[in-house]
Amino acid sequence: MNQDLFNQHDFIKQIVYKVMRKLKVNDAAAIHPQPFPIGISNRHVHLSRQDLEILFGNGYELNMSHKISQTGQFAATETVNLAGPKGCIEKVRILGPIRKQTQVEIMRSDKYRLGVDPPVRDSGDLKDSGAITIIGPNGSVHIDEGLIISQRHLHMTPADAAFYGVTDGEFVQVKAGTSRGITFDKVLVRVREDFVLEFHLDIDEANAAGVENGDGAFLVTLKNKPTEQNDIIALSLVTEDRVRQAWKEKKPLYIKKGSITTPLAKDTAKELGVELISL
Ligand SMILES: [Zn+2]
């Protein structure tokens, strides 16, 4: 090995070590270095126009308490009570705006309080889901379907999806937490132009992992994930040739902070779909 190659090898080891230390995990090679924030959901209700009016009165409009992270969504000041065969849960928050179909999202621990057994589902996938009674100040509604436990999911834009190398509808693994950290399996990737990058868990799941709102979580499953630590080669100069080599090897390029990427390399990466990942 000549001296230059030796120095480069040493340098790579240093970068890998730094990344591992930053992530505080031992399997850094399989984890994307760029975290995304965790958003924790409590149990909540989305209402149809018809059900809103039964529960609160004709022509009723929800009042906004505060905006929530996803564009256009808000927590309403209004709450309802949920009643199941075994018990009740009071003051369950309504999230606006109104939807085509009423949807009630509870946590796994709630099903014992209520005496119900809804399926784990993606939002909006309500066929043959659970039944529940919703009680408002003006009346009550029994829904035969619409009660679910939310499938944990990861919101992102198409640009985020390209960055992380994932696609809409794909299931990935996400690592969250440190001292009691958990790698969550079956995290549904949901891609839409107006989504805000965020990993959504409910309170049961967040408590199990010991995480708080806004903590960082990491994508574990990468299509082009480095198989060996030494596959992470941090470059200080990215040339067109290096991009073409990465394309042949079907690997992303890991780029050192402050490095130079030539305009031709940028164009080539875009053209060939080679991921450029900043460390
Ligand atoms: Zn969500």
Side-chain angles (χ1 to χ4, degrees), residues 70-82:
Q70 296 303 318
T71 314
Q73 303 251 320
F74 63 91
T77 57
E78 291 82 357
T79 61
V80 288
N81 297 339
L82 300 180

Side-chain angles (χ1 to χ4, degrees), residues 34-40 69-70 153-156 160 164 174-176 196-201 211-219:
Q34 184 67 42
F36 33 74
I38 296 171
I40 303 170
S69 59
Q70 296 303 318
H153 56 276
L154 178 55
H155 291 273
M156 59 172 70
D160 296 327
Y164 285 104
V174 173
K175 185 172 172 60
V196 175
L197 182 65
E198 205 168 52
F199 174 41
H200 279 180
L201 291 174
V211 294
E212 307 285 339
N213 236 342
D215 282 358
F218 295 88
L219 182 71

Side-chain angles (χ1 to χ4, degrees), residues 122-250:
D122 183 23
S123 182
D125 178 13
L126 302 179
K127 193 164 172 4
D128 300 325
S129 56
I132 193 77
T133 299
I134 308 167
I135 303 163
N138 196 62
S140 69
V141 174
H142 179 82
I143 55 167
D144 288 325
E145 62 179 24
L147 178 68
I148 60 170
I149 296 172
S150 177
Q151 175 78 50
R152 58 182 82 105
H153 56 276
L154 178 55
H155 291 273
M156 59 172 70
T157 64
D160 296 327
F163 176 74
Y164 285 104
V166 297
T167 51
D168 186 44
E170 182 181 351
F171 285 103
V172 294
Q173 289 188 326
V174 173
K175 185 172 172 60
T178 49
S179 61
R180 301 190 76 196
I182 290 179
T183 297
F184 288 96
D185 206 6
K186 291 209 83 177
V187 176
L188 178 65
V189 175
R190 300 181 61 196
V191 179
R192 217 166 71 189
E193 201 61 63
D194 63 340
F195 276 160
V196 175
L197 182 65
E198 205 168 52
F199 174 41
H200 279 180
L201 291 174
D202 68 28
I203 292 177
D204 278 359
E205 295 168 309
N207 283 342
V211 294
E212 307 285 339
N213 236 342
D215 282 358
F218 295 88
L219 182 71
V220 177
T221 306
L222 282 172
K223 272 189 189 140
N224 298 321
K225 74 180 179 193
T227 50
E228 299 280 344
Q229 285 179 1
N230 286 352
D231 278 351
I232 297 185
I233 297 172
L235 299 165
S236 51
L237 176 66
V238 183
T239 60
E240 185 211 1
D241 276 353
R242 196 60 194 80
V243 172
R244 289 194 183 280
Q245 189 189 329
W247 177 67
K248 276 185 201 150
E249 292 169 357
K250 296 188 167 58

Side-chain angles (χ1 to χ4, degrees), residues 1 4 6 9 16 63 66 86 104 125 144-145 164 170 186 192 199 206 244 250 263-264 268:
M1 199 184 283
D4 265 355
F6 182 81
H9 188 73
V16 170
N63 293 290
H66 55 272
K86 279 201 180 148
V104 179
D125 178 13
D144 288 325
E145 62 179 24
Y164 285 104
E170 182 181 351
K186 291 209 83 177
R192 217 166 71 189
F199 174 41
R244 289 194 183 280
K250 296 188 167 58
L264 189 57
T268 309

